Amino acid sequence: MRVNRILLSTTLVVVALVLQVSVLSRLHLPGAVPDLLLLTVLGLALVYGHVGGALVGFGAGLLADLAPPADHAAGRYALVLCVIGYLAGLAKPDYGRLKSATGSMLVVVAAAIGSTLLYAGVGALVGDTAARHVGLGGLLFTAALYDLLLAPFVVPGIMALARRAENDPLAESGSAAKGTDISSGWLSSGTGLRIGGQRGGLGGLKAKARIRGTRVGRIKGVKRL
């Protein structure tokens, strides 16, 4: 990954984890806890693609596994977010720009449900049956609901920051086109020449030469008479 990606991803993941542990987890909402870390990974994966999403997800999950008050095996959430980041990166839109809110909301719902199921499945493999006692159905519903409500305030902003750090190709092409227009305007104002058969171009010069030749011929003909 590039240096700017690493710096931005690390900063956003740390901020999201601090807010989730210190604020969201203390709201004592029924069912699941709003997963700000998951939404952060989704926003970055939708810009960086599947490889970048997997790397960011693994790093964010590993940090969550090691940060207190984690009470599960290290690497469990890292595996979950790595898979979710990879899959979300496959849905990366062109140039990292969302065409509609519907697609991104579907990605958020699928990620919330998928991460909960995967987390419970990995827990069952290692002997953690806490999801059974809490109720898996309630966890799925509340996780999807909370993340869906929080997503419009998190995902678009993270994607905008990631695009800006990436030097968005659309912005670059726009600035290049603008620079071309400015340069052509500067040339036309400074020299009176334009390109492409317009006034003052090569075609215009040829036409003026022909007109001048015709005028000279007419003048000479008048003198002969």
Side-chain angles (χ1 to χ4, degrees):
M1 295 181 68
R2 300 176 183 175
V3 176
N4 56 348
R5 286 189 178 187
I6 296 175
L7 294 176
L8 179 64
S9 301
T10 303
T11 302
L12 293 176
V13 165
V14 171
V15 172
L17 182 60
V18 171
L19 290 177
Q20 183 167 334
V21 172
S22 61
V23 178
L24 296 179
S25 61
R26 297 184 180 183
L27 295 178
H28 302 292
L29 297 174
V33 176
D35 201 339
L36 184 60
L37 195 61
L38 173 65
L39 297 178
T40 302
V41 172
L42 290 180
L44 294 174
L46 290 175
V47 177
Y48 295 159
H50 57 283
V51 177
L55 293 175
V56 172
F58 179 80
L62 186 61
L63 186 61
D65 289 332
L66 299 177
D71 56 353
H72 54 268
R76 180 176 172 184
Y77 201 47
L79 175 61
V80 172
L81 288 186
C82 181
V83 174
I84 296 299
Y86 179 86
L87 295 178
L90 295 177
K92 172 186 174 182
D94 295 336
Y95 300 107
R97 295 183 182 272
L98 296 174
K99 297 181 180 179
S100 64
T102 305
S104 59
M105 293 298 102
L106 292 177
V107 171
V108 170
V109 173
I113 296 176
S115 61
T116 305
L117 289 175
L118 187 58
Y119 187 82
V122 175
L125 293 177
V126 296
D128 185 1
T129 59
R132 297 181 181 178
H133 301 290
V134 176
L136 185 59
L139 284 177
L140 293 176
F141 176 77
T142 53
L145 178 62
Y146 296 154
D147 292 347
L148 189 60
L149 293 176
L150 190 60
F153 304 99
V154 178
V155 177
I158 290 178
M159 293 183 66
L161 289 175
R163 288 198 308 267
R164 181 172 297 181
E166 283 287 293
N167 295 325
D168 191 358
L170 287 182
E172 290 181 358
S173 61
S175 62
K178 185 177 180 181
T180 303
D181 295 338
I182 293 175
S183 61
S184 61
W186 178 78
L187 288 174
S188 62
S189 62
T191 61
L193 299 178
R194 293 187 182 180
I195 301 174
Q198 297 180 358
R199 180 177 59 87
L202 295 178
L205 292 176
K206 292 181 180 179
K208 288 183 178 180
R210 292 176 182 176
I211 294 173
R212 290 177 181 175
T214 304
R215 290 179 180 176
V216 172
R218 290 180 180 177
I219 293 173
K220 289 181 178 180
V222 172
K223 288 182 177 181
R224 288 176 182 178
L225 293 174

